[in-house]
Amino acid sequence: MADIRVGRLDDIADGGHKVYATSGREVGVFRVGTKLYAWENHCPHAGGPICQGKIFGQIGEELTPDKRSLGLFYTGQKHIVCPWHGFEFNVETGRHPGDEGTRLKGFPVDVRDGDVWLRLPG
Ligand code: FES
């Protein structure tokens, strides 16, 4: 494992992200409040550039026991939507909402003195 400085925290707006190319990989760093999440820019569906997708609020639907809709609502979770075929992944967990086994590959990320550091396999 190697710690690699990729940029400044100030360069990533709250709710935004940046994609860095380093050590032969592309990694998207997503900022949610004071937390950062780092995901490989490789969609598990077919290899698309997932970290370059748009971010949307997840929409839920409340149903009656006989499956009639009582309306749609925002869950408060944010999803990255893959620009190739539209698969969605939770920004914070990297998981696909409908398939627990389909997820993004993540890396440890932290901030030291305002710099963003990734820990990547060597
Ligand atoms: S490559 Fe991402 S949804 Fe197909």
Side-chain angles (χ1 to χ4, degrees):
M1 296 291 240
D3 286 3
I4 300 167
R5 180 194 167 282
V6 291
R8 298 281 301 167
L9 179 62
D10 291 346
D11 294 338
I12 308 172
D14 186 9
H17 66 285
K18 284 189 83 82
V19 178
Y20 299 100
T22 184
S23 301
R25 298 175 188 274
E26 290 184 5
V27 179
V29 176
F30 295 78
R31 182 174 179 177
V32 180
T34 59
K35 296 186 176 178
L36 295 177
Y37 304 90
W39 306 112
E40 187 166 43
N41 191 21
H42 181 94
C43 179
H45 175 234
I50 180 64
C51 296
Q52 291 162 263
K54 292 188 182 285
I55 298 174
F56 292 95
Q58 180 188 29
I59 295 173
E61 183 174 23
E62 189 174 358
L63 299 174
T64 64
D66 62 346
K67 306 292 186 201
R68 285 183 294 119
S69 178
L70 294 174
L72 303 175
F73 61 93
Y74 285 108
T75 66
Q77 298 292 308
K78 295 290 185 187
H79 283 185
I80 316 162
V81 180
C82 183
W84 280 12
H85 312 106
F87 275 38
E88 297 184 23
F89 299 88
N90 185 297
V91 169
E92 297 181 37
T93 66
R95 290 190 175 138
H96 184 282
D99 180 358
E100 289 287 312
T102 301
R103 57 187 313 166
L104 303 178
K105 181 175 182 176
F107 303 102
V109 57
D110 65 8
V111 177
R112 298 178 216 153
D113 296 326
D115 291 326
V116 177
W117 290 79
L118 293 173
R119 177 162 287 175
L120 300 175

